[in-house]
Each structure stands twice: as structure tokens, then as C-alpha cells.
Amino acid sequence: MRKDVRILLVGEPKVGKTSLIMSLVSEEFPDEVPLRAEEITIPADVTPERVPTHIVDYSEAEQSDEQLYQEISKANVICIVYSVNNKKSIEKVTSHWIPLINDRTDKDSRVPLILVGNKSDLVEHSSMETILPIMNQYQDIETCVECSAKNLKNISELFYYAQKAVLHPTGPLYCPEEKELKPSCIKALTRIFKISDLDNDGILNDSELNFFQRTCFNTPLAPQALEDVKNVVRRNMMDGVKDNGLTLKGFLFLHTLFIQRGRHETTWTVLRRFGYDDDLELTQEYLFPMIKILPDCTTELNHNAYLFLQSVFDKHDKDRDCALSPEEVKDLFKVFPYMPWGPDVNNTVCTNEQGWLTYQGYLSQWTLTTYLDVQRSLEYLGYLGYSIIYEQESQAAAITVTRNKRIDLQKKQTQRSVFRCNVLGARGSGKSGFLQAFLGRNLQRQRRIREEHKSFYAISTTYVYGQEKYLLLHEVMPDFDFLTETDLSCDVVCLVYDINNPRSFEYCAKVYKQYFIDSKTPCVVIAAKSDLHEVRQHYSLSPHDFCRKHKLHPPQPFTCSTNEAPSKDIYTRLTTMAMYPHARLRCMCACNRCTYCLCQNLLKLELLRSIKAQLRTVVFNRCSHTRLWLPLVLFLLHVFTLC
């Protein structure tokens, strides 16, 4: 809603513009009327709409045409005042004032007009018969009111209608000629209906209607009031009520009825609660709420956001097969102005045998969007009505901003749930196959993927010591000289080479020595296509010797040329290394070079350290039960020695 309203009064001299303003302010007819009243401001707390209102007078005797044009450009609503006992002033409405105002305003942003017939105390007849044809001719005219500055008749109503014309305009909602809602209004109300239809059965039942009423007007409807509403619809529409619930047609009919009865504010209250502006577009403030993200921090969905997305999935999974068919996906995104997910999504996350999005794949895609482009995720949640359904100030409440990675390294633990692995390698080394294998697709299934639907991302869940985490794989383009900061910024790096191509490993070695040799980012070398014959690499060191020299884990053999889904062990290892990046700072096994061994044994070692600390407490306390704890001490000392 606007923060204030500016009302301009224009008209021929002596029609009573200044008298109307002074009668409103003083609540009595002035004995002496100046040529022009000074601009006055009515405070918000004394106006029906609780919005500050500025009232501006125009005087031909005191102001120039240029000043008039400036006032017209600043006005939110213009009252064209005429005298009901002066036919010439009525004729001037159409011959002079309306054309003048239209010439000075853009066609796309015309200000609403109100025709004001003053001095009704001087005549016994009404001017409405003359004015109604004018109202029908010009769509910009919001309403017409007859009043009397002398008798104070309809003075307050005049300025209330002027406020209402700005805050609750009819133009964007309703077409008087057709006597029906405009397409943009129908589109907005249809989205609102679909969001409010929590079970997606096409009907607003009593519970959903009450939730809608409470959301928009902060008060539920009494049972009898609900029945009265449905009875009104039943009497006017055959299919407005179904199974004792309100259909979309019934919902639209109710709003048409509100507008026809002059209750525009009811429809506008609903529209603004669901994020719409005066042009029936979702506002930038609604779609993109402010969220502060510091450097080296990532963005994730929190628990409530996942619960909401789960409810959206369940709402549209009509056949209950735990997957969304193309038709169900299309239905889900009907509340969007465009289709946000393309065919590449099906190659980014897990799908079933039919290629439909599984529940896990659906949540993974949301997780990916939030991690890579949190503003886009906020926009999507806005279209789905997250802040409305969960009664939050904005959808920013759905986002968790993780702490700086440097703090994670210092504390040797992380609270994050999403970890990024950048996959680098020469062309044809098997990077794409490595990504698709993470989604459970062997080489045979990968060959069905069309080139234009290829994705450079793959995301799914892994389990590290019983904790569910998301691993995000990003295939980096192999242009060595054009690697960006984004290509290098991640939690773990995969260097992929083709064991059957003698020139494949050289790229991995150069990338590691150029960008990661002094980095704290864990690196893993993947020997891809391990089902093929291994050839000698044209590099000064073999992959094994290279890894030994740089204290990396030996190359991990990998193939997706299998009959079943490829093994996911390597992805669990990658996630573990991403979770515990400090593990590479020192080696805990006999080889004295392996960066992976500590990751594998980290929790076990932490548990042993805890037991050791407790034993120290026992010893220092000189516990008398020596026979009970001494054998345990000897056993644990033996275990520590082995570790």
C-alpha cells in the first residue's frame, strides 16, 4: 500500500473547490473564502485508511499553467469539481479538464479521476443523469459524488472516495463494460486460490477458508458466516460450490461481487497480503527480501523450509508414487509466471526409471538452487507462498546462512549440510560420467541423455557416520587459462583422468600444481574408466608417484560401465573429506602421507580421546576400584598404540 495519498482539486473558477477543503478542515462553511487554500496534510490516525493524505487546491487566478501541470504530475488522484447548478462547468469537465489531464499523464499510468458535483444545496434535482454518460465514456473516472460545502453534505465521503481510488482502485481489477474481472486480476486470484488450496483438490473446504480468512483479515469466519458465503455463491452459480467447498469459479465470483458492491478494499487486502502491487505484479520486496550473506559463507534451507517443500511435493504427488510426473511438475509451477525448471534438472538430480523427479531429487534441486543462487530460491518460495503458509515476515526465514569456513577449520567441525566438490579434468576424461554415476546412472543410462539437456551439476545425499549430507558436484570446463574463482572455490576437489588416454593425467597435474598445491582444500585423484586397459601417462611422474610425492591419497579407480548402478563409496569419501578438511593437515596412519585415513578414523579417534580424558579423571581421582578400571586402561593403551 502507498505510504501517502496526494489529492488535487481542479475545476472552473467559483465552483467551490476551496470551500470544500475549508469545510472539511473546520467542519463548518467558511464566511470568507480565499482564492486558494494552502496545501494541508491530514494525519494517518484520523483517516479511515490510516494513510497520511495531502490535499492540494488549484486556483486559475493565482497559479500558472506550468504550476498546474506540475501538480497534475504529482497527484495520485484528481477531483474535477463542477457546480450542479452551472451547466457550463459540467461541459468543461469533458471539453477541457479530462483532455488536459490525459495529455499530461502517461497512458500506462493514468491517475484516477473523481467527478465532484458541489452546491447540491442550491438545486432540488440531481446531476447524475448528465454525469453517468460521462462516467461510461471515460474509464479513468473512478466514481462521482454530489456534495455541498455549505451543508457539509458528503464532504468526508468525497475525500474517503478519493483515498479509496488511490489505495483500492477499480481499474486494475474490473472491467465495467464487460462486468467481469480483468485477466490480470483473475490470474492473481487464481494463484491465491491454488496456494490456499492446501490439499490441491480444487476446492477450499471450511478449514482452508478459515485459514485464508485468518491470513488476510486476522480473524476466522464463524460457521454460520461460512455457510452464508457459500449460500450466496450457490444462488448465483451452478458450479461455485462443490462437496460443500468453494471452487475457483465460486472464489472469483465472490470477488466480482465485492467489487460490484463497492468493496474493492476486500479484494485489495487479499491481493496485497499475497504480495501484489497496484499493477497486480508481485513486488520486489515480496519476491526478494533482504538477506545478509558474508564472504565465505554459504546458504542452505532450514528445517521449516524442507517441511514446507515436503508439503508442496505431497500436495502435487496425486498418484502417491513418490515421484512427480511432467504433468504434476507443470501443476506445481502453475503459481509461477514461467516454468523455472528445464529438462536439464532431470539430469542434475535423482529420477526414477521413467525419468520423473523423485522426492529426493526434488529436494536436491531446491538445495542446489539455494546454494548457488539464494535470490532465485527466495523468488521461487515467494511464488509458492512460503511466508504466507508459514506465517513468516518473509521467505528469508527459510534460509540459513552458514558460518565462515575459516571458523570451521579452526574449530575442526562444521554445521553445514551442503558440500561442494569441483570436478576438473581434460576433455573426455570422464567428468560427466562421474557426475551421472552419483545419481545412480550407469553408462547405458547415460547414453540416453540428449546433449542439449546435459547438466554441469549433480547433487544428491550421502551419509557420513549416520548423518545425511548433500554433496554437490560441479563439472568445471577444462579451459586451463580461464579458471575463475568460482571454479576453484569449493570444499573438495576431484581431479579426473582417463587411464586409457596417455595425455589425460597431465592436465590434472598442472591444475593441482598451479592452484591447489598450497591450498587447504582436500584433493582426490580419480582414475576414471578403470574397466579399460591402463596405459602409461605422458607425464614425468606416474599418477601413483605424483600422489605419493604430494602426499595425496593414491588414485581412486572408478568406472560407470557396470550392469547395476555404480558404487557410491567414492562420493561418501569425498563428503567425509569436505566435512573434515583439517584432516589433511597431518597423517595418522603408518604411511605418513595419506590425507584420507584421518577422515575415515576421525570419529573413532575423537571417541578414543574422550575415553582417554575420562580415564585421566579416574586416575587423578585415585578411584579405589582398581580392579575394575586397570584392565580397561591397559586395553585402551594397546588400542592407542595401534592407532
Side-chain angles (χ1 to χ4, degrees), residues 115-239:
L115 302 186
V116 181
N118 191 24
K119 303 184 181 181
S120 63
D121 57 292
L122 298 180
V123 295
E124 295 182 358
H125 63 275
S126 172
S127 63
M128 284 299 141
E129 289 186 7
T130 308
I131 295 301
L132 281 175
I134 300 175
M135 291 183 64
N136 293 331
Q137 183 181 355
Y138 296 95
Q139 294 184 6
D140 299 333
I141 299 176
E142 195 75 17
T143 189
C144 176
V145 58
E146 288 190 346
C147 55
S148 169
K150 188 172 185 179
N151 293 346
L152 306 183
K153 177 185 175 184
N154 288 341
I155 302 296
S156 298
E157 288 79 358
L158 158 63
F159 292 100
Y160 169 69
Y161 290 141
Q163 266 193 337
K164 192 174 175 182
V166 177
L167 303 176
H168 311 301
T170 309
L173 306 181
Y174 186 73
C175 181
E177 293 81 7
E178 304 294 333
K179 295 184 178 179
E180 60 184 27
L181 299 175
K182 288 188 173 179
S184 57
C185 182
I186 293 173
K187 182 180 177 181
L189 291 174
T190 300
R191 169 180 169 266
I192 292 169
F193 179 91
K194 284 189 68 65
I195 290 174
S196 305
D197 182 13
L198 301 178
D199 56 9
N200 200 32
D201 64 351
I203 298 169
L204 295 185
N205 57 37
D206 287 359
S207 174
E208 291 165 341
L209 279 170
N210 258 321
F211 177 80
F212 170 81
Q213 178 76 12
R214 192 173 65 253
T215 298
C216 296
F217 305 102
N218 298 317
T219 179
L221 283 171
Q224 186 56 50
L226 275 173
E227 285 305 312
D228 291 344
V229 167
K230 286 183 280 190
N231 286 334
V232 169
V233 178
R234 283 191 187 99
R235 286 196 297 269
N236 291 275
M237 295 194 77
M238 289 290 294
D239 49 358

Side-chain angles (χ1 to χ4, degrees), residues 580-612:
Y580 303 106
H582 56 280
R584 76 190 301 271
L585 301 181
R586 61 191 181 102
C587 184
M588 297 295 292
C589 73
C591 72
N592 201 33
R593 65 176 182 274
C594 165
T595 62
Y596 171 64
C597 61
L598 180 56
C599 293
Q600 285 291 86
N601 295 289
L602 187 64
L603 287 189
K604 181 174 73 175
L605 292 173
E606 288 180 352
L607 177 62
L608 291 176
R609 289 192 193 101
S610 175
I611 296 172
K612 187 177 179 181

Side-chain angles (χ1 to χ4, degrees), residues 285 288-292 375 378 394 396:
E285 292 79 8
F288 304 104
M290 291 291 294
I291 182 169
K292 188 176 182 181
Q375 291 296 324
L378 290 171
S394 75

Side-chain angles (χ1 to χ4, degrees), residues 63 71 90 110 122 139-140 143 148 217 249 272 284 305 320 348 370 453 461 486 505-506 555 586 590 624 639 643:
Q63 291 176 287
E71 290 297 349
I90 298 176
R110 290 279 172 85
L122 298 180
Q139 294 184 6
D140 299 333
T143 189
S148 169
F217 305 102
K249 286 186 177 181
R272 286 180 175 130
Q284 294 295 298
R320 297 291 178 260
T348 305
T370 305
H453 296 166
T461 54
T486 304
F505 180 72
E506 183 180 8
R586 61 191 181 102
S624 60
V639 172
C643 290

